[in-house]
Amino acid sequence: MTAHANALRTKIQQDPDLFRRVYRYSFPLSRMQGQRNLQFEIAAEQWRLFFTPEHGGVQWNTASTPWLDWWIEFLEGRGKKPVNKDLWEQVEVFMRKSREDEDFGWWSPDGAWPGALDDFVDWVKEKRKGSEMDVE
């Protein structure tokens, strides 16, 4: 059984479609009974599992951008609001896109992203500007 679990963990990290199915399936499993949304604390812990390879997920943080850390910091600053299904699902898409192009060449403010992700992009851009000023 342990060998099977380890093989599945490896497969999840290597197969984006399997990862997406498991990730999306975890939303209803993680909600408190009778709730439509995930409590922020539960969502944050799930993201820490799904977006770090040492926990069986995929790496979101990169050498130049601590995406996962910034995402959670950003949401904490917004008041730790509950996470709805749309935001949950779009975070996984955003993770993949941000790993492919960290400079947001794919981003459009007119896109159909949840408002929290629109605000996060602006927040990241501002944070990066601040980092550039600190270096100079």
Side-chain angles (χ1 to χ4, degrees):
M1 185 57 109
T2 303
H4 179 69
N6 288 335
L8 186 57
R9 180 175 290 163
T10 299
K11 189 172 181 181
I12 287 170
Q13 291 175 327
Q14 297 170 351
D15 182 342
D17 292 328
L18 178 60
F19 178 90
R20 177 171 285 147
R21 287 195 327 263
V22 171
Y23 177 82
R24 289 184 175 193
Y25 187 72
S26 71
F27 182 84
L29 290 177
S30 301
R31 290 182 308 193
M32 301 296 281
Q33 188 172 3
Q35 298 293 310
R36 296 186 66 174
N37 299 323
L38 274 180
Q39 293 176 349
F40 170 79
E41 291 78 10
I42 294 171
E45 285 305 312
Q46 290 288 15
W47 284 320
R48 287 182 184 105
L49 292 172
F50 277 107
F51 299 138
T52 56
E54 57 272 10
H55 294 114
V58 297
Q59 184 67 45
W60 189 9
N61 286 344
T62 63
S64 62
T65 308
W67 291 104
L68 174 61
D69 302 332
W70 281 4
W71 173 241
I72 292 173
E73 178 185 340
F74 167 76
L75 292 176
E76 286 174 339
R78 289 176 56 130
K80 300 181 179 183
K81 297 174 186 169
V83 175
N84 66 31
K85 184 178 180 184
D86 183 46
L87 179 58
W88 178 260
E89 290 180 358
Q90 292 303 308
V91 166
E92 186 266 339
V93 175
F94 184 91
M95 177 271 300
R96 295 206 183 278
K97 295 276 194 186
S98 63
R99 285 186 348 171
E100 292 171 8
D101 177 4
E102 295 190 59
D103 294 324
F104 298 116
W106 50 272
W107 183 260
S108 169
D110 298 327
W113 296 96
L117 286 169
D118 288 329
D119 295 344
F120 179 61
V121 169
D122 293 337
W123 186 87
V124 168
K125 289 178 178 179
E126 284 300 313
K127 194 157 181 89
R128 285 179 173 166
K129 281 182 191 175
S131 295
E132 290 171 8
M133 285 189 251
D134 293 342
V135 172
E136 297 178 335

